[in-house]
Amino acid sequence: MNWQPYIKASWDLVMEAEGRTEIFLQDDLEAYLVHMMARNFRNSNMPPDIICLEFPKARTQEDYLQIGDNCLFVDAWDVKRARLVAQNYYEQMGQIAYSSAAIVSRPVNELYERVAREFRLLSRVLRGIRDRAFTT
């Protein structure tokens, strides 16, 4: 599969969202967000209905990353948000998922630790993409 068009489209969207939100991510976080969007561009099965039930099934770093990515999309874009959860539920679940992805590998993956810590910032940039879609 040729990922280049997805990476280019994702990069364009993230750059525009950073300008729109005036939140300028450090290069590694920006690259993560671009690649996360590119990986999920054609994913129509997200997010699962009940995020917390995905954790017992997760075994690999990729499993935890997918949970974190799902939470990031829900938090930023308000898609398929569960009705009976706290406002910060997806932020907390996403942080746990990315932290789990970081510690599943040895040595600990520092990028995924940062993604967990900066979840709210990444979500705000993604929200800038959503806001653009609704204003054009």
Side-chain angles (χ1 to χ4, degrees):
M1 175 173 202
N2 180 10
W3 288 99
Q4 199 60 34
Y6 298 109
I7 292 172
K8 171 75 170 97
S10 297
W11 186 82
D12 289 342
L13 289 168
V14 169
M15 293 301 106
E16 185 177 329
E18 283 182 317
R20 177 188 223 64
T21 61
E22 297 183 358
I23 298 169
F24 301 99
L25 301 171
Q26 292 181 345
D27 290 344
D28 57 345
L29 293 175
E30 185 176 87
Y32 180 81
L33 194 56
V34 166
H35 285 90
M36 184 272 299
M37 288 183 60
R39 274 194 320 273
N40 289 288
F41 229 87
R42 296 177 62 161
N43 184 358
S44 61
N45 296 327
M46 61 181 245
D49 290 330
I50 305 174
I51 292 286
C52 65
L53 294 180
E54 298 301 305
F55 282 93
K57 297 186 260 183
R59 299 285 181 259
T60 66
Q61 188 173 60
E62 291 76 26
D63 294 340
Y64 289 112
L65 289 176
Q66 191 60 58
I67 295 168
D69 293 351
N70 288 337
C71 290
L72 194 52
F73 279 117
V74 172
D75 190 64
W77 292 352
D78 287 326
V79 292
K80 291 181 74 174
R81 184 178 285 276
R83 293 180 306 180
L84 302 175
V85 297
Q87 182 64 29
N88 64 349
Y89 172 79
Y90 291 98
E91 178 183 345
Q92 291 177 343
M93 291 292 108
Q95 289 172 324
I96 292 168
Y98 287 126
S99 293
S100 297
I103 61 174
V104 143
S105 64
R106 295 287 180 237
V108 171
N109 187 307
E110 291 179 25
L111 173 61
Y112 300 145
E113 279 187 328
R114 288 203 53 228
V115 171
R117 282 194 314 270
E118 301 295 342
F119 185 96
R120 183 175 292 168
L121 201 60
L122 293 169
S123 180
R124 288 176 53 204
V125 171
L126 268 182
R127 192 169 297 122
I129 295 169
R130 181 204 67 184
D131 292 345
R132 175 192 176 264
F134 288 121
T135 60
T136 57

